[in-house]
Amino acid sequence: MAIRRGRGVAAINYPTGMNLGGDPTQALVHSTPTGNFMVTLSSVDLGQGMKQIMAQICAETIGVPTDRVVVDTADTDTGPHCMGTFASRGTHRAGNAVIQAAREARQVMLEVAAEELEVNASDLETDGQGNILVKGAPQRSISIFDVALSAHFKRGRSISGRGMFLIPRSYPEKETGAMKPSTCYAHACTVAEVEVDDETGEVTVLTVKNVFEIGRALNPKMVEQQLVGGSWMGISHALYETTEPYYPDRDHGGTDFNQYLMPGPGDLAQTEIIVLERPSADGPFGAKGPGEMCANPQIPAVANAVFDAVGVRIDTLPITPERILRALKAQASN
Amino acid sequence: MAKIPVQFTLNGAEKAEFIDGGTTLLNALRDKIGDTSPKGGCHQGTCGACSVIIDGELRLSCLTLAETCNGAAITTTSGLSQDGVLHPLQRAFLDAFATQCGFCTPGMIMAAKVLLDHTPDPSRDDVVEALSGNVCRCTGYEPIIQAVLTAARSNSQNAA
Ligand code: FES
Ligand code: FES
């Protein structure tokens, strides 16, 4: 009886969003009379930071500072349609929709500015600070504030735009079953080091080293926040969490936080996060979805590390002390 | 059923309410008084989201009957900022990106405040111990631990 050490590695390709019926998300963008911009969505911010990212995407596309953009995700009854916040899809799907809507709004904004400045809209550019300038003659300019006032009270224009994301639905091929479930994949690789007590079956994760390839980090600190939390969650899935240990039998299913276990602040593995950025072809500013993806590679890595430590393959999650001890017993009797 | 009068201070302000017998402090604060900073995560003492400070001690408001709080001094997270300036713990949580959905945050901050009130210069183990009754789904805890350690450092710098 001893504490045994093991190390496991795993790599994943993870789809951003899904392709059941095209995975649509729509967005609307409009300006207020004073030249702030409103993004209306039904996509929900669960704390992952979608509002911040959508404000950045809208601001960058229109050419205003981020604090000039308000994101309203208030109500799925009244907002434009969204499939939901899941499957690492928020940034990619809603982000693409917001870019399209913001481009259309920007075009109207430039047309109104062109009328005010008596030039062609194609000769105008934004300075990112809230002004529209004539290319090559920046002394001729107008503030977006004044453009919005003019649109609302003088020219009768709505500075607004509509955007949507939709990919053609992919049906499985009859012969092979092959299909295209996604257009965009994020990648990750994790190395986990564990200690397994072969007397009690208890697993301690010592270190997890993760590399995540996420397209482009639109907000690096918030990406890191997702990845740190996700890495912890992956270990939690690997070793602790289950609603139905004897599924479909409900007996012994966790009913509260005393039974539905997760690693607490005293059970943290030493965690390392490395971010690789390879901009995706169809993501907003190259982004892919890091959210759900980042909680996956730890699971096979821990399973492999347990195998390396004590020589048993646990193929049912979570990898509980009971499952390890049963496997060790079966192995000994073979 | 006869209502029961209770009176206590909440974040320094006098509060008096008539409540039903058996009302938890959590429900009294949220539904009667309108302080929604303590959160109801489990209503049975296992998540820490409802933590408040009663007479200097960390307590679970979901397991505390409001009628036992007569004359008590109660602190919640909504009472921490002063004239619009965030408490060092709140500032540190923001700076460390230690909050995502935010549901655990008020409870975490209450637990951390009691720790720092008693142990101004805590070790990492002290922080882990102090937070071990609080559940977080989102952050993986490490950013929270770092935030508390940072707040402790900024407190001792201000004191110095
Ligand atoms: S609500 Fe009080 S401990 Fe969970
Ligand atoms: S931030 Fe979501 S539960 Fe802690």
Side-chain angles (χ1 to χ4, degrees), chain A residues 58-76:
Chain A
C58 178
E60 182 76 21
T61 308
I62 291 185
V64 292
T66 304
D67 61 10
R68 295 280 291 269
V69 179
V70 176
V71 179
D72 178 10
T73 59
D75 193 336
T76 52

Side-chain angles (χ1 to χ4, degrees), chain A residues 46-48 219 221-222 225-226 228-230 232-233 236-237 241 255-258 260 262-266 268, chain B residues 41-42 44 46-47 95-101 124 128 131-132 134-143 145:
Chain A
L46 311 165
Q48 80 278 37
N219 186 314
K221 280 304 283 183
M222 287 171 70
Q225 177 183 40
Q226 287 293 297
V228 170
W232 166 86
M233 204 181 281
S236 191
H237 291 319
E241 291 183 48
T255 54
D256 60 35
F257 289 122
N258 286 330
Y260 186 91
M262 298 183 282
L268 304 182
Chain B
C42 66
Q44 57 178 18
T46 55
C47 76
D95 292 345
F97 286 73
T99 177
Q100 288 185 36
C101 78
R124 183 190 165 90
V128 165
L131 301 178
S132 63
N134 294 63
V135 174
C136 176
R137 169 83 278 183
C138 310
T139 62
Y141 295 98
E142 188 61 37
I145 297 169

Side-chain angles (χ1 to χ4, degrees), chain B:
Chain B
M1 205 166 60
K3 301 270 181 187
I4 301 172
V6 292
Q7 216 176 345
F8 47 73
T9 65
L10 176 65
N11 301 317
E14 286 288 338
K15 300 285 169 190
E17 281 291 340
F18 288 102
I19 55 160
D20 291 323
T23 302
T24 63
L25 179 61
L26 176 63
N27 288 343
L29 288 174
R30 291 181 60 86
D31 302 339
K32 282 267 176 184
I33 293 172
D35 182 351
T36 52
S37 68
K39 307 293 178 207
C42 66
H43 297 273
Q44 57 178 18
T46 55
C47 76
C50 66
S51 301
V52 299
I53 303 173
I54 303 179
D55 294 332
E57 277 185 31
L58 188 67
R59 298 274 292 274
L60 298 173
S61 64
C62 74
L63 296 186
T64 304
L65 293 181
E67 63 209 65
T68 65
C69 297
N70 260 314
I74 300 173
T75 304
T76 64
T77 301
S78 61
L80 291 189
S81 65
Q82 298 285 333
D83 304 325
V85 179
L86 294 180
H87 186 276
L89 273 166
Q90 293 172 306
R91 184 80 257 158
F93 269 64
L94 273 183
D95 292 345
F97 286 73
T99 177
Q100 288 185 36
C101 78
F103 203 83
C104 70
T105 310
M108 291 285 182
I109 287 185
M110 288 289 97
K113 180 167 188 322
V114 172
L115 169 74
L116 299 190
D117 286 348
H118 293 113
T119 314
D121 187 20
S123 67
R124 183 190 165 90
D125 284 351
D126 293 334
V127 175
V128 165
E129 182 65 30
L131 301 178
S132 63
N134 294 63
V135 174
C136 176
R137 169 83 278 183
C138 310
T139 62
Y141 295 98
E142 188 61 37
I144 298 177
I145 297 169
Q146 292 307 325
V148 178
L149 289 169
T150 304
R153 276 196 298 275
S154 77
N155 274 347
S156 59
Q157 270 163 15
N158 289 345

Side-chain angles (χ1 to χ4, degrees), chain A residues 52-133:
Chain A
Q52 169 67 22
I53 298 301
M54 293 309 128
Q56 286 178 226
I57 287 175
C58 178
E60 182 76 21
T61 308
I62 291 185
V64 292
T66 304
D67 61 10
R68 295 280 291 269
V69 179
V70 176
V71 179
D72 178 10
T73 59
D75 193 336
T76 52
D77 276 346
T78 55
H81 173 229
C82 175
M83 286 293 277
T85 301
F86 59 91
S88 306
R89 69 187 291 290
T91 295
H92 190 277
R93 271 40 174 168
N96 272 317
V98 168
I99 287 180
Q100 202 181 76
R103 277 199 188 127
E104 194 174 303
R106 178 186 161 95
Q107 185 53 35
V108 180
M109 175 183 84
L110 292 180
E111 283 167 17
V112 174
E115 287 173 31
E116 290 294 323
L117 293 170
E118 298 178 342
V119 294
N120 284 328
S122 57
D123 291 332
L124 295 174
E125 62 189 3
T126 44
D127 69 354
Q129 307 299 319
N131 301 297
I132 298 170
L133 325 169

